[in-house]
Amino acid sequence: MSRRFVLAGLAGAGVSSLLPAPALARGKGEYRSLNLVNNRTGEWIKTAYWVEGTYIPDALEAISHLMRDWREDEEIPIAPATIDILAATHNLLDCGEPFEVISGYRTPKTNAMLRRRSRGVARNSYHVRGMAVDLTMKTRSIRQIAGAAKSLSAGGVGTYSRAQFVHLDSGPKRDWGR
């Protein structure tokens, strides 16, 4: 685990435990949080990333780092709308278990390599733009995750039953797969 991620994780942990309390003190207490694990790298994060209408830059950076292209060790900022879709989907599933990230950001090189291996990989993938994530969860089925995401009527939702993952993105509203 890199020093940078440990520092970002500590900052995220601090954000998670400290920011909602001041928000509650102001009377509103509105916040959004996310709980993710990257099984490829062993990294995890549980953090508030938005408080009373404001995104928290350190938390967004830590999320983007966790969702980086692990093959190339490159990252770009993950679109806040994608993070919001992830958080809203997780809230609808009503569980404390983290989403397991299979693929977040992909470099064009990684996307091309995956495209050569599978016709299911889009040439102009939202992964390359930092707008998509493939994920799963141990205690919820692929259909439950996809159903929760579809109920939001936001972005793309792909159900990959054979491979056991769901694709979420912040592109146009659409869905595919079974």
Side-chain angles (χ1 to χ4, degrees):
M1 190 177 303
S2 73
R3 178 175 178 253
R4 179 173 177 228
F5 187 78
V6 170
L7 293 174
L10 291 174
V15 167
S16 177
S17 63
L18 296 178
L19 285 177
L24 289 171
R26 287 194 299 265
K28 293 186 182 179
E30 294 180 21
Y31 69 96
R32 298 177 191 161
S33 62
L34 197 55
N35 189 1
L36 301 172
V37 62
N38 184 322
N39 288 342
R40 302 282 187 176
T41 64
E43 298 161 336
W44 61 271
I45 187 168
K46 183 175 184 180
T47 187
Y49 68 89
W50 180 95
V51 175
E52 292 190 347
T54 302
Y55 288 100
I56 302 164
D58 288 346
L60 293 179
E61 185 178 320
I63 292 166
S64 295
H65 184 74
L66 181 134
M67 291 177 58
R68 73 190 177 283
D69 183 331
W70 57 271
R71 291 174 178 91
E72 299 291 321
D73 198 29
E74 289 185 29
E75 67 186 77
I76 64 171
I78 299 299
T82 302
I83 296 169
D84 288 340
I85 290 169
L86 281 169
T89 301
H90 196 272
N91 285 340
L92 288 172
L93 294 168
D94 193 29
C95 72
E97 177 189 355
F99 273 135
E100 297 177 22
V101 174
I102 296 167
S103 181
Y105 168 66
R106 293 183 197 147
T107 64
K109 179 180 174 183
T110 294
N111 200 66
M113 179 269 298
L114 293 172
R115 191 166 157 69
R116 285 190 297 274
R117 291 184 183 175
S118 170
R119 55 192 174 121
V121 176
R123 180 183 311 272
N124 296 314
S125 172
Y126 282 105
H127 287 277
V128 177
R129 300 184 218 174
M131 295 172 60
V133 60
D134 296 337
L135 52 85
T136 191
M137 190 178 264
K138 285 182 180 31
T139 63
R140 298 295 188 266
S141 72
I142 299 307
R143 289 183 187 206
Q144 287 173 312
I145 297 167
K150 287 176 190 179
S151 76
L152 299 172
S153 294
V157 180
T159 307
Y160 294 87
S161 296
R162 284 188 185 164
Q164 287 295 294
F165 72 87
V166 174
H167 167 98
L168 302 178
D169 69 55
S170 56
K173 180 184 177 254
R174 65 214 186 289
D175 67 82
W176 64 94
R178 298 175 197 254

